[in-house]
Amino acid sequence: MLTQTPKGTKDILPIESYKWQYIESQIAKVCTNFGYKEIRTPVFEHTELFQRGVGDTTDIVQKEMYTFLDKGNRSISLRPEGTAGVVRSYIENGMSSQPQPVKLYYNISAYRYEKMAKGRYREFHQFGVEAFGSKGPSIDVEIISLISLFFESLGLKDVGLNINSIGCPVCRKAYNEKLMNYFRPSLEKLCGLCNNRFERNPLRIIDCKEEKCKSITSGAPAILDNLCGECKEHFEGLKKGLDNLGIAYNIDKNIVRGLDYYTKTVFEFISENVGTQGTICGGGRYDGLVEACGGPSTPAIGFGLGIERLLMEMESQGVPIPLPQEVEIYIATIGEIADTYAGKLVYELRKRQIPAEKDLLQKSLKAQMKYADKLGAKYTIVLGDDEIKNNKATLKSMKNGEQIEVALDNIHEEIINRR
Ligand code: HAM
């Protein structure tokens, strides 16, 4: 146990971390391009926020949260997602008095006590975006187009987009009655949780993963066929906006999403490469959440995109990720004087943004050269007493074996000129 990560978590080792850095840099680029600013919120919040924010009829709140009492006897939970914390921050920091829309993004770790499966972890990472204050479908289109351009910037192709509308409290009221009439005769066949959901939030039953519930939910009436006039118009606006940008989509009446806060637009980007659920990214509108958490009535929309699943998709599609910058020069040394000189030389090279390395273990020259090769150094030089005395050394290309004589105080220029 002592030397094992807890189930559902993993280390991101140096052979992988450069991929994460690359993705994070692409995220920052696309978000800046779209005018979204980064927000960082705490890893843990008061449990009540998620009960209210995510919804206490969801699987996440009922079964999956890491909840504990802190030493002051407060109930605290690790964030199972990013939206609730951002909504809390929007309210707490009075962002509703800033010019709207307020457009935010985040890169976070999140925690859910879930059954392990391909692409499903207990600690996972999300890139998310939340936009507050805009009511019409244009911002829905903007957010979806951001994801679409993000995928394009990475070189990903053919990630399917499914959209749906799950209505507002007005159409939901009539629809819930229809749903309850549909489920009432089968209540005994539904799982215990769904029985509980029946009175409180029957829409949740549609999202149940239990096989016995799934066979019943498959024939349930769809909310998309039961929208009020305003929600219908919003959905038409969304489709028109996506058509205008040439973004392809399918309408999937079965998307209800696993969190309680959604209203109107919901969407998912899916691929069969990323595990049983196949969702790389999911999001939607949540026009009632800010108010439900104690803030002013504020329309809002956002999404969460799983980085682990994104990496799986990139790997499946064979999308190349640029390798990290290699060591450009390794300074091998013979003797103590050369070692001291090399210390200064490496420092001067690094000052000029040239990744340089030297021996730190008093290795033999042969071992140093072997190590330089392992590091993938582009160039090496060997420094001994003579080289220092004459201010000259041989710069050797490790790629093609080419050797040239260079002045020691001019190595940086040689390297820069050869880039
Ligand atoms: P979500 O659908 O629960 O939505 O999660 C979003 C994405 O996070 C999923 O599509 C998936 O890629 C990733 N994800 C979720 N759970 C796991 C897991 N156990 N292991 C690995 N990846 C996972 C939300 O979290 C909402 N907050 C999204 C949102 C933001 N809606 C509006 N604003």
Side-chain angles (χ1 to χ4, degrees), residues 110-398:
Y111 304 84
R112 296 183 192 174
Y113 192 82
E114 292 208 69
K115 272 203 193 111
M116 296 303 301
K118 186 180 170 196
R120 206 192 291 140
Y121 305 95
R122 290 183 178 169
E123 180 187 61
F124 60 98
H125 298 79
Q126 279 187 345
F127 153 39
V129 150
E130 314 293 349
F132 297 90
S134 178
K135 192 167 160 237
S138 319
I139 194 113
D140 308 22
V141 175
E142 174 176 290
I143 285 224
I144 291 174
S145 72
L146 184 156
I147 305 163
S148 179
L149 282 191
F150 173 58
F151 286 153
E152 203 178 300
S153 77
L154 295 173
L156 276 175
K157 292 193 183 89
D158 304 328
V159 184
L161 165 64
N162 290 340
I163 61 168
N164 191 21
S165 173
I166 58 168
C168 65
V170 175
C171 36
R172 201 81 69 74
K173 201 165 170 232
Y175 171 70
N176 278 351
E177 265 170 42
K178 247 192 191 176
L179 258 191
M180 287 167 95
N181 290 338
Y182 172 84
F183 285 125
R184 197 167 284 112
S186 318
L187 272 182
E188 277 177 13
K189 295 186 198 138
L190 293 173
C191 74
L193 264 183
C194 283
N195 268 276
N196 186 286
R197 288 161 174 157
F198 178 75
E199 291 292 344
R200 301 177 62 201
N201 189 357
L203 189 67
R204 263 287 57 85
I205 301 176
I206 293 186
D207 201 35
C208 185
K209 305 286 179 296
E210 297 269 338
E211 283 308 321
K212 60 178 178 184
C213 299
K214 272 191 189 166
S215 61
I216 299 165
T217 55
S218 58
I223 175 95
L224 192 65
D225 300 326
N226 291 276
L227 296 180
C228 66
E230 190 192 318
C231 290
K232 238 186 226 166
E233 204 182 304
H234 190 99
F235 194 59
E236 287 310 310
L238 168 69
K239 289 192 289 180
K240 224 166 132 188
L242 292 175
D243 291 340
N244 185 36
L245 302 186
I247 296 175
Y249 56 85
N250 300 307
I251 296 170
D252 180 352
K253 293 183 184 178
N254 293 320
I255 304 180
V256 296
R257 308 272 307 124
L259 303 96
D260 275 355
Y261 44 63
Y262 292 108
T263 51
K264 294 184 178 156
T265 305
V266 285
F267 62 87
E268 291 182 341
F269 281 86
I270 49 149
S271 163
E272 57 194 25
N273 298 323
V274 299
T276 39
Q277 287 153 348
T279 317
I280 300 179
C281 169
R285 197 163 256 291
Y286 49 94
D287 291 343
L289 185 60
V290 176
E291 196 172 7
C293 290
S297 167
T298 310
I301 179 166
F303 69 81
L305 188 153
I307 305 289
E308 286 83 358
R309 294 188 193 175
L310 177 70
L311 279 165
M312 282 168 82
E313 181 63 20
M314 289 173 77
E315 197 165 313
S316 302
Q317 291 199 20
V319 171
I321 295 182
L323 287 165
Q325 197 176 16
E326 294 167 340
V327 173
E328 286 211 65
I329 180 160
Y330 185 90
I331 320 272
T333 52
I334 308 166
E336 227 171 90
I337 295 173
D339 183 66
T340 308
Y341 191 95
K344 179 100 190 294
L345 192 53
V346 162
Y347 180 69
E348 292 298 329
L349 288 163
R350 287 172 176 165
K351 233 190 215 174
R352 294 172 164 88
Q353 312 298 323
I354 297 171
E357 291 288 335
K358 69 177 273 292
D359 174 50
L360 296 167
L361 294 177
Q362 285 89 44
K363 285 188 183 127
S364 69
L365 183 59
K366 196 171 158 202
Q368 289 184 58
M369 296 312 279
K370 221 168 145 184
Y371 183 60
D373 196 38
K374 276 221 176 96
L375 286 178
K378 278 198 210 153
Y379 299 98
T380 53
I381 60 165
V382 179
L383 280 191
D385 293 347
D386 284 351
E387 282 77 9
I388 293 166
K389 200 164 72 201
N390 303 326
N391 185 36
K392 269 190 195 140
T394 305
L395 183 74
K396 182 177 171 189
S397 161
M398 298 292 273

